[in-house]
Amino acid sequence: MQTDIDPRSLIGRKAFDRNGTKIGTVDEVYLDDATGVPEWAAVRTGLFSRDAFVPLEPSELVGDTLRVPFDRSLIKEAPDFGVGRHLSPEQELQLYHHYGLDVTLPTDFQHDFGRLAGDDST
């Protein structure tokens, strides 16, 4: 995904799965603490549904929408960590594994990531 986009501009965009099926609307964007790059989006999957975390890489912006390269069913089954809070490294790893994304971390890894866009407290 384009990394120079203002993460706040993603909020409110409609999100679609790889088949073009609507997933929902982006509620929040989470940034990598070290780089400030948008890393996860919390997508509201329905009026009375929870938010599902989706990876912004390898997702892409297509016009005014976010295209997520996973099936809607996989997205709706993503681990539920609630929104509005910082993601722990363990939670983020669970999400990467859920989506089958390869993440290799150094053995001395002590990085904390998943900060909310607009939240300057670290």
Side-chain angles (χ1 to χ4, degrees), residues 37-115:
V37 172
E39 194 159 18
W40 297 96
V43 176
R44 172 71 55 185
T45 59
L47 185 59
F48 299 105
S49 300
R50 66 179 179 89
D51 282 38
F53 287 94
V54 297
L56 290 174
E57 181 65 41
S59 299
E60 62 183 347
L61 292 175
V62 179
D64 288 338
T65 65
L66 179 67
R67 180 65 55 104
V68 182
F70 301 100
D71 286 328
R72 184 173 192 248
S73 60
L74 181 67
I75 294 164
K76 291 186 92 168
E77 294 169 359
D80 184 4
F81 301 121
V83 295
R85 297 181 291 202
H86 195 271
L87 287 175
S88 72
E90 294 80 14
Q91 290 171 325
E92 191 159 0
L93 285 174
Q94 286 180 35
L95 289 167
Y96 275 116
H97 290 304
H98 174 76
Y99 287 106
L101 299 172
D102 184 32
V103 177
T104 305
L105 301 174
T107 56
D108 62 345
F109 181 73
Q110 301 253 333
H111 178 70
D112 199 18
F113 44 152
R115 160 173 71 88

